[in-house]
Amino acid sequence: MRQIIIATIFLSVLWSCNSSTKKEKSTESDKATEQTNSDFEIYISTLDQIKLPLETNPLGKLPEISKNFDKNKFEKYKHTWASQPLGIYYQDEKTVGIIDCSIGDWGHVPFLITYDLKGNKIDSTGFYDKSGQDMGYKAIEYVTFNTGRRITVIDTVKRWDFNEDETDIIEGSMKMTTGKVEYRVLDNGQILKK
């Protein structure tokens, strides 16, 4: 009988130690999750809200916003190839949209990234699909970030015909087109191109 009591006590102590170890591991996991959440909250707290409407184009200069951003957290949450954040485009109770800047051919290029409030990326997009210059081609896009999570892109594209041996453009052959594309950020953070 005494051996059964000792064995029961021994097993109870082992079970109790095992339960507290599981609780400690669970608590450590919760702390890591809280740290990730607070990292993103800290990061967005260092970004400034962008005044809307914001109008930009590849030849223009983007305003200097969010000068005091957290550089370490920017590295963690930035858009691929981004060199600096511009600021917060919008924020609601579920998602946040941040505009990051990358270096393009003519200057800074804006990218919109949407996240949930825990810092998980939902969607991202750039807006300069046509802008650029080459022999016989010149295009520029004008982007307006509007209120209501609407983005408008208006483009002007010029094309010239080439001479017979394709070494130069033919003067007077320019054809110009214009276009308009609209984007909308949905309630779930997805970016929809219309």
Side-chain angles (χ1 to χ4, degrees):
M1 181 73 169
R2 188 175 175 175
Q3 291 176 339
I4 293 175
I5 294 173
I6 292 172
T8 305
I9 292 171
F10 180 70
L11 289 173
S12 296
V13 169
L14 279 176
W15 184 78
S16 153
C17 289
N18 191 21
S19 292
S20 73
T21 304
K22 286 180 182 175
K23 285 180 185 174
E24 286 175 17
K25 286 181 181 176
S26 175
T27 304
E28 288 173 13
S29 173
D30 292 344
K31 284 181 183 175
T33 301
E34 287 174 18
Q35 183 63 37
T36 301
N37 294 348
S38 65
D39 275 355
F40 187 67
E41 291 170 1
I42 291 168
Y43 173 58
I44 61 174
S45 73
T46 66
L47 301 176
D48 295 329
Q49 184 71 40
I50 297 170
K51 291 180 184 173
L52 301 175
L54 171 66
E55 297 177 354
T56 184
N57 67 71
L59 300 175
K61 187 174 180 182
L62 287 168
E64 289 189 37
I65 307 173
S66 302
K67 295 177 189 174
N68 299 317
F69 68 94
D70 185 311
K71 292 175 178 52
N72 291 328
K73 291 181 181 43
F74 170 68
E75 289 300 319
K76 182 176 181 178
Y77 295 107
K78 71 177 186 167
H79 186 273
T80 309
W81 304 298
S83 57
Q84 68 189 58
L86 185 63
I88 297 172
Y89 173 48
Y90 79 90
Q91 184 173 1
D92 63 24
E93 64 280 348
K94 293 189 234 170
T95 63
V96 61
I98 297 174
I99 299 176
D100 282 350
C101 301
S102 181
I103 304 294
D105 292 341
W106 292 334
H108 281 105
V109 176
F111 287 90
L112 174 62
I113 309 96
T114 58
Y115 303 88
D116 66 20
L117 297 182
K118 294 179 181 177
N120 299 308
K121 181 180 166 186
I122 298 170
D123 204 354
S124 66
T125 193
F127 302 98
Y128 294 152
D129 294 334
K130 299 177 182 177
S131 291
Q133 186 170 350
D134 199 354
M135 189 167 76
Y137 178 88
K138 183 176 183 180
I140 187 165
E141 290 157 298
Y142 301 88
V143 180
T144 304
F145 294 91
N146 299 294
T147 58
R149 297 190 245 184
R150 293 176 304 108
I151 302 104
T152 305
V153 181
I154 297 173
D155 65 73
T156 301
V157 179
K158 297 177 182 177
R159 296 178 193 268
W160 289 263
D161 293 330
F162 291 104
N163 61 14
E164 207 171 286
D165 54 356
E166 297 189 2
T167 57
D168 203 357
I169 62 170
I170 299 172
E171 291 295 327
S173 68
M174 182 192 72
K175 294 173 192 79
M176 185 170 78
T177 60
T178 59
K180 180 178 179 181
V181 177
E182 292 187 352
Y183 296 82
R184 196 175 103 218
V185 182
L186 304 177
D187 289 341
N188 64 5
Q190 291 292 320
I191 302 167
L192 177 68
K193 183 177 181 179
K194 295 181 179 184

